[in-house]
Amino acid sequence: MKDDKQYEALRDQGASKEKAARIANSDTKSTSKKGGKAPAYEDWTKDDLEQRAKEVGIEGRSDMNKGELIKALRDH
């Protein structure tokens, strides 16, 4: 990992392990040119979190509360 601090910050913002690692390991100049900022999972509605969990194939999502959904998405 080139930038552990950046990796942890991205994970705290809701990025997946794969995405956070990809960004933290990339050249800073190339990633700074790319745009877009998704809101942190904490800012999502429970329905939106359930939909995202469905998209990535998380089982048991309908029985999870918002905090559990966020954790499951981050751990996925």
Side-chain angles (χ1 to χ4, degrees):
M1 193 72 47
K2 285 185 180 179
D3 190 342
D4 290 327
K5 194 173 190 179
Q6 183 182 32
Y7 174 82
E8 291 302 325
L10 289 164
R11 293 288 290 141
D12 289 344
Q13 293 172 10
S16 69
K17 291 178 183 179
E18 293 82 10
K19 180 178 180 180
R22 185 177 66 247
I23 293 170
N25 285 326
S26 68
D27 178 35
T28 305
K29 290 178 184 177
S30 68
T31 55
S32 65
K33 293 178 186 177
K34 297 177 183 174
K37 265 200 157 196
Y41 282 144
E42 287 79 10
D43 296 335
W44 291 30
T45 66
K46 185 173 185 279
D47 288 339
D48 290 338
L49 291 166
E50 284 183 7
Q51 180 61 39
R52 179 65 182 144
K54 181 180 180 181
E55 290 169 4
V56 298
I58 295 173
E59 298 293 325
R61 62 191 170 270
S62 61
D63 295 325
M64 295 180 186
N65 64 34
K66 186 173 180 176
E68 292 167 332
L69 284 165
I70 291 170
K71 182 174 180 350
L73 286 165
R74 286 189 175 146
D75 289 345
H76 181 65

